[in-house]
Amino acid sequence: MSSRFKQGDHVAALTPGFYPKDSLTGGTYAQYAVAEQSHLALLPAGVPLDTAGGLPLVGLTAWQSLMDAKPKEGQRCLVFAASGGVGHVAVQLAKSLGLVTVGLAGPKNTAWVREQLGADEVVDYTTADVADVYGAPDKHFDIIIDCLDNTPERLAKVMALLKPSGHYSYILNRDTDFAQLQQWQDAHKEGKGPSVSVTSVTPNGEQLQHLFGLWEAGKLKLEVHKVFPLAEVADAHRQVETWHTRGKVVLAIPHDAGALAGLSRDTTPISSSVMQAATINKTGGPDVLQLVHDFPTPSCGPGQVLVKLHSSSVNPVDTAARAGHIPDVPLPCIIGGDLAGVVVEADEGSRFKQGDHVAALTPGYWPKAGQPQGTYAQYVAVEESHLALLPAAIPLDTAGGLPLVGLTAWQSLMDAKPKEGQRCLVFAASGGVGHVAVQLAKSLGLVTVGVAGPKNTAWVKQQLGADEVVDYTAGDFAAEYSAPDKQFDVVVDSLGNKPERMAMMSSLLKPSGHYSHIMNAGSDNAALQQMQAAHKDGKGPGASLTLVKPNGKQLETLFELWEAGTLKLEVHKVFPLDQVADAHRQVETGHTRGKVVLAIPQ
């Protein structure tokens, strides 16, 4: 029988699971599953395989519940539990359909539902009764999506929020009262109220394909609360049963039968003497990046490990090198320094073995041992000391976004020798380095203030944990924080440091403070050296210049914080390698929250 799928395709599905169907009663908490072709969706190249498994049930449930309502652009839609698995997808889908969307969520999630999911309005159910807020006829809804209990009292209250021509999409759950729903359906048949449907999700590969298309286009984002390895599935269940999970809990499935016993998780051999890579033959705009299919696969030198990449990322240093702003870049070359992937070759005495999941910051395209190759490629030979072993729960498809920004943030903080209780200011707090620095500062016990734009202030405070956030467009904040009782012990800065800005830094820092400047295109080393010289003379705060260094041990610490939930990488978008030029354009907008990740073809 012919199939539209072939060996090696990346796919996703909602299956009937453990419900008997044609004598197949196996669920998906397993390394292998048999799926009906009609249930499968082919994943776009930019969708990460390690988290895509979180979408099928919640995505199809949200989509089918909306489609039952036959929505029309401009209609009003209310989504209950808007920060949950189904709810957070339903809000985004409703917006993609042109609906005026209102979400109901708890106090920790209201800003997130509005600012990250795009809801037009959000009600905090702990401080307001939705029936009071939207009880007036001009505020009634055309569609209500509801996955909560439907007791007679509550159902009457919810139905009163619908227009007579409206539709109530109720999502089947353990508290469903079918008799109550049937009464309302019977009343509608008699012309006495809104229509009612019950969504019991159905596997559908075509619909799921559409949802992944929205994901790839940036119109739908899956919020992953945490990834648990399969060996910790009991803890994953406990998390879901708290009923306070934002988005989804995902299970990481081991890649071979020995993984649960701590053995190697993949044994992918080198398949060719050539590989795919994104190269530059000259400097210039993003279009100078070219995908080639016949670049020689590297071989290991002494003390090196050969890694097959799953992900890399785009950093400002990459765009600067491509544009010709960094001298002595060897041409032609492969740029990039971040990687996450699988070990395919290691020396017998190495602490790494074939199949290990690893990540690294490499020196990239700078000439080193005669092999100036970056990480926009399928294979890279890496110094063993630069590699970090990934915990089982860390997704390979996005882990490549952390190394440079994580190590930069960590090293800039360590230069300041921070002590618990000190005050720390982080500039560009929503950017790649900044959003990691905020979280690390908090993990070190620092009172942390972030500087961000108006679209990101609530996110930096609520999602990253900053104690205070300053909107840099709202005026000059230096005067307020120059007061002696508000000055900082540590300032982490990745922006320009011209003399006039350095004067501001001196005013923001305590005399005993430390200014950690992160090397960038706007760095003025002379101005920084003046501050350092003054400090040596006892006339001001200390200062350091952070030019990030690869360090496998430090990187392992960062991934342990990720696994523990203390650190989270915000991924703005994943681009397939053949869209690397678009990934560079995104970074060069200067308005990227978190990281741009590259998916490396397998």
Side-chain angles (χ1 to χ4, degrees):
M1 177 181 174
S2 63
S3 172
R4 71 186 184 95
F5 301 99
K6 61 184 184 298
Q7 188 177 35
D9 280 348
H10 287 195
V11 295
L14 171 65
T15 75
F18 45 84
Y19 295 103
K21 178 175 168 54
D22 298 332
S23 77
L24 294 175
T25 57
T28 58
Y29 290 8
Q31 291 181 305
Y32 296 92
V34 176
E36 298 285 335
Q37 284 197 50
S38 61
H39 299 168
L40 284 168
L42 192 64
L43 292 184
V47 174
L49 194 61
D50 289 357
T51 52
L55 182 65
L57 185 140
V58 296
L60 288 172
T61 301
W63 180 258
Q64 291 170 12
S65 64
L66 281 164
M67 291 302 101
D68 285 345
K70 299 178 175 61
K72 297 177 183 177
E73 188 173 356
Q75 288 185 325
R76 289 173 54 78
C77 176
L78 174 65
V79 178
F80 283 90
S83 64
V86 173
H88 90 287
V89 176
V91 168
Q92 297 173 82
L93 292 179
K95 288 300 298 178
S96 76
L97 294 167
L99 305 184
V100 178
T101 306
V102 177
L104 196 69
K108 292 183 178 179
N109 292 313
T110 51
W112 179 75
V113 171
R114 180 186 301 106
E115 296 172 12
Q116 302 308 308
L117 304 184
D120 297 284
E121 301 173 33
V122 186
V123 176
D124 176 356
Y125 64 80
T126 68
T127 60
D129 188 331
V130 69
D132 294 335
V133 178
Y134 296 101
D138 63 329
K139 291 193 172 184
H140 284 180
F141 297 95
D142 301 280
I143 301 168
I144 292 179
I145 307 294
D146 187 14
C147 60
L148 305 179
D149 66 84
N150 64 333
T151 59
E153 304 79 18
R154 183 178 177 275
L155 190 54
K157 203 172 183 180
V158 171
M159 295 297 283
L161 296 172
L162 279 163
K163 298 176 182 179
S165 60
H167 183 89
Y168 178 60
S169 280
Y170 184 75
I171 297 166
L172 188 67
N173 64 71
R174 66 180 185 177
D175 295 317
T176 300
D177 185 333
F178 287 101
Q180 290 300 315
L181 293 169
Q182 188 64 54
Q183 288 180 20
W184 284 96
Q185 288 174 326
D186 292 342
H188 174 70
K189 289 177 183 178
E190 296 173 3
K192 297 179 182 178
S195 56
V196 175
S197 63
V198 180
T199 303
S200 179
V201 65
T202 304
N204 188 306
E206 288 186 9
Q207 291 178 356
L208 191 56
Q209 193 84 54
H210 174 71
L211 297 179
F212 280 115
L214 293 175
W215 183 335
E216 184 183 39
K219 296 179 180 179
L220 175 62
K221 182 176 181 181
L222 183 75
E223 175 73 6
V224 177
H225 179 86
K226 187 174 180 181
V227 180
F228 289 85
L230 186 58
E232 297 175 14
V233 63
D235 290 335
H237 274 235
R238 292 184 187 99
Q239 174 58 50
V240 171
E241 290 179 334
T242 66
W243 303 109
H244 291 290
T245 298
R246 173 186 288 173
K248 284 289 296 181
V249 166
V250 171
L251 289 177
I253 306 299
H255 290 184
D256 69 42
L260 289 175
L263 301 178
S264 61
R265 292 172 285 183
D266 201 342
T267 55
T268 306
I270 302 174
S271 58
S272 173
S273 61
V274 295
M275 64 177 180
Q276 293 184 49
T279 66
I280 57 170
N281 295 306
K282 60 181 180 180
T283 58
D287 289 334
V288 302
L289 287 155
Q290 300 294 320
L291 184 67
V292 299
H293 297 265
D294 57 354
F295 199 93
T297 300
S299 57
C300 285
Q304 291 185 326
V305 173
L306 188 63
V307 179
K308 181 182 180 184
L309 274 67
H310 281 239
S311 61
S312 181
S313 79
V314 179
N315 294 295
V317 66
D318 301 336
T319 63
R322 184 219 72 225
H325 301 318
I326 295 178
D328 303 323
V329 174
L331 295 174
C333 77
I334 302 169
I335 60 175
D338 285 335
L339 69 82
V342 179
V343 172
V344 295
E345 185 180 319
D347 290 338
E348 187 174 336
S350 172
R351 77 181 183 100
F352 299 99
K353 60 184 180 297
Q354 189 181 47
D356 280 348
H357 288 195
V358 294
L361 171 66
T362 76
Y365 41 84
W366 304 110
K368 180 174 173 60
Q371 191 174 339
Q373 184 202 314
T375 58
Y376 293 4
Q378 289 181 301
Y379 295 92
V380 176
V382 187
E383 296 291 324
E384 184 170 325
S385 62
H386 299 168
L387 282 169
L389 191 64
L390 292 183
I394 302 298
L396 273 177
D397 290 353
T398 52
L402 182 65
L404 184 140
V405 297
L407 288 172
T408 301
W410 180 259
Q411 291 170 15
S412 65
L413 282 165
M414 291 302 101
D415 284 344
K417 299 179 175 60
K419 297 177 182 177
E420 187 174 357
Q422 288 185 326
R423 289 173 55 78
C424 176
L425 177 67
V426 178
F427 282 92
S430 64
V433 173
H435 89 288
V436 176
V438 169
Q439 297 173 81
L440 292 180
K442 287 299 297 177
S443 76
L444 294 167
L446 306 185
V447 177
T448 306
V449 178
V451 181
K455 291 183 178 180
N456 292 313
T457 51
W459 178 76
V460 171
K461 184 175 179 64
Q462 296 176 7
Q463 303 310 311
L464 304 184
D467 297 283
E468 302 173 37
V469 186
V470 176
D471 176 359
Y472 66 79
T473 69
D476 183 6
F477 65 91
E480 177 184 354
Y481 287 98
S482 295
D485 62 332
K486 289 198 170 186
Q487 286 178 315
F488 297 95
D489 302 279
V490 181
V491 171
V492 176
D493 183 23
S494 58
L495 304 179
N497 64 335
K498 299 300 181 184
E500 59 276 8
R501 196 161 181 277
M502 292 297 288
M504 179 182 74
M505 295 301 163
S506 295
S507 71
L508 292 170
L509 280 158
K510 297 177 182 179
S512 59
H514 185 92
Y515 174 61
S516 283
H517 179 72
I518 296 164
M519 183 76 170
N520 63 77
S523 295
D524 183 335
N525 289 341
L528 189 69
Q529 288 166 1
Q530 288 178 16
M531 179 182 263
Q532 291 172 325
H535 174 69
K536 287 181 181 178
D537 293 337
K539 297 178 181 177
S544 60
L545 177 66
T546 302
L547 182 58
V548 65
K549 298 177 181 64
N551 188 307
K553 292 297 184 183
Q554 290 179 357
L555 192 55
E556 283 193 357
T557 297
L558 297 178
F559 280 112
E560 289 166 3
L561 292 173
W562 181 339
E563 184 184 37
T566 305
L567 174 63
K568 182 176 181 181
L569 183 75
E570 175 73 7
V571 176
H572 181 87
K573 187 174 180 180
V574 178
F575 289 85
L577 186 60
D578 62 4
Q579 295 175 18
V580 63
D582 291 333
H584 272 233
R585 291 185 186 97
Q586 174 59 50
V587 170
E588 288 179 328
T589 66
H591 295 287
T592 298
R593 174 185 287 174
K595 285 290 297 180
V596 166
V597 171
L598 291 175
I600 307 300
Q602 300 304 299

